[in-house]
């Protein structure tokens, strides 16, 4: 059983999707801890409801970003976490954590990387005027949303879309591909080769599309 640590900053709907897949028996894993950088994060309520231990760490109470990530690293290691999942964690992960979990930190990003990295990926897509956007699950490296890509999913961008409407459409697929990537990891089916991820014995296409009629 894969020991998972989750980092989140807010609503936690992706965290919930992962909890649901574990509880349904589709991911052979256990969430050992939720760590949040925001005491108001709704993810905390979800952790309480599902009896998952949680920890709030205030980044401002640490002398440096490195010290903040050293603390996160130590908390994860203390619980023998094997995979770290960034579920709407709105910070750039720094070296102490990266070095402790090479190719063992996964992130969900609300755009088709390498387009629109960083914050507000959905707004960037709307503002740019692309016709297709989506979401990406990738391993985290030292760059901003640059690590090896595991799964992507695509959605249409409609001419009257707003950041909100596009975000909602993308989120539905985030909730599918993030748990799927974690399931594959838990089954030992992800192999990182350079900047590419090989998915072993994978029958499905490594990209998903919504029905273009779906608004
Ligand atoms: C999700 O859309 C996720 O892709 C995005 O934040 C949202 C969190 O929602 N993450 C990023 O933008 C990371 N840079 P959630 O808290 O309901 O899972």
């Amino acid at each position: 059983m894969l020991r998972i640590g989750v980092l989140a900053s807010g609503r936690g709907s992706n965290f919930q999707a992962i909890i649901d897949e574990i509880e349904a028996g589709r991911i052979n894993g256990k969430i050992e801890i939720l760590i949040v950088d925001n005491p108001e994060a709704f993810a905390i309520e979800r952790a309480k409801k599902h009896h998952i231990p949680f920890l709030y760490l205030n980044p401002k109470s640490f002398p440096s970003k490195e010290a903040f990530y050293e603390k996160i690293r130590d908390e994860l290691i203390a619980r023998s976490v094997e995979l770290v999942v960034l579920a709407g964690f709105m910070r750039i992960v720094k070296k102490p954590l990266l070095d402790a979990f090479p190719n063992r930190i996964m992130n969900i990003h609300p755009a088709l990387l390498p387009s629109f990295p960083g914050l507000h990926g959905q707004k960037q897509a709307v503002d740019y005027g692309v016709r297709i956007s989506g979401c990406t699950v990738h391993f985290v490296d030292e760059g901003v949303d640059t690590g090896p890509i595991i799964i992507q999913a695509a959605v249409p961008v409609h001419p009257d879309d707003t950041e909100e409407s596009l975000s909602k459409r993308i989120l539905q697929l985030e909730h599918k591909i993030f748990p799927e990537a974690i399931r594959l990891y838990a089954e030992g089916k992800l192999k990182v080769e350079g900047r590419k991820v090989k998915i072993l014995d994978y029958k499905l296409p490594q990209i998903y599309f919504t029905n273009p009629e779906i608004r």
Side-chain angles (χ1 to χ4, degrees):
M1 197 185 54
L2 181 70
R3 298 171 71 95
I4 301 168
V6 177
L7 273 53
S9 298
R11 180 178 55 186
S13 71
N14 277 290
F15 174 46
Q16 185 69 53
I18 297 160
I19 293 171
D20 292 347
E21 288 299 289
I22 290 173
E23 290 188 351
R26 285 188 286 265
I27 296 174
N28 183 19
K30 179 160 182 263
I31 302 174
E32 299 294 335
I33 189 162
L34 166 75
I35 300 179
V36 293
D37 60 351
N38 164 16
E40 312 278 299
F42 188 70
I44 294 172
E45 304 310 314
R46 302 181 193 270
K48 284 182 186 164
K49 190 165 169 214
H50 293 270
H51 310 290
I52 294 167
F54 67 91
L55 179 66
Y56 160 56
L57 295 176
N58 179 358
K60 292 195 184 111
S61 71
F62 292 84
S64 65
K65 283 181 185 163
E66 280 65 31
F68 174 63
Y69 285 104
E70 279 166 12
K71 173 69 174 166
I72 293 179
R73 175 199 64 198
D74 293 348
E75 292 291 343
L76 294 170
I77 289 174
R79 289 167 179 83
S80 305
V81 163
E82 297 161 289
L83 178 71
V84 183
V85 168
L86 310 185
F89 184 65
M90 296 305 185
R91 289 177 188 276
I92 296 163
V93 171
K94 296 287 179 197
K95 225 172 175 342
L97 186 55
L98 286 169
D99 286 352
F101 294 92
N103 288 331
R104 292 200 287 138
I105 307 176
M106 243 184 226
N107 181 45
I108 179 90
H109 182 75
L112 288 178
L113 293 172
S115 290
F116 314 129
L119 290 177
H120 311 297
Q122 308 95 327
K123 182 174 189 305
Q124 292 185 57
V126 169
D127 291 350
Y128 198 95
V130 293
R131 302 296 191 201
I132 297 174
S133 193
C135 46
T136 304
V137 184
H138 64 94
F139 285 114
V140 177
D141 65 10
E142 52 291 329
V144 178
D145 301 323
T146 54
I149 290 172
I150 305 165
I151 304 182
Q152 294 187 300
V155 303
V157 183
H158 300 302
D160 58 350
D161 261 329
T162 59
E163 178 183 4
E164 289 69 35
S165 63
L166 180 60
S167 298
K168 206 171 140 212
R169 193 173 310 122
I170 292 173
L171 193 64
Q172 295 176 33
L173 288 185
E174 292 186 36
H175 295 164
K176 289 196 166 69
I177 67 171
F178 208 7
E180 172 74 355
I182 296 166
R183 182 182 69 76
L184 290 167
Y185 187 95
E187 291 174 1
K189 291 191 174 157
L190 300 182
K191 198 162 163 243
V192 181
E193 293 176 349
R195 74 145 294 110
K196 292 192 186 170
V197 178
K198 193 168 172 191
I199 305 185
L200 307 172
D201 331 309
Y202 199 48
K203 304 288 186 295
L204 294 169
Q206 285 151 39
I207 183 158
Y208 293 66
F209 298 93
T210 47
N211 178 344
E213 302 303 319
I214 293 174
R215 309 282 299 183

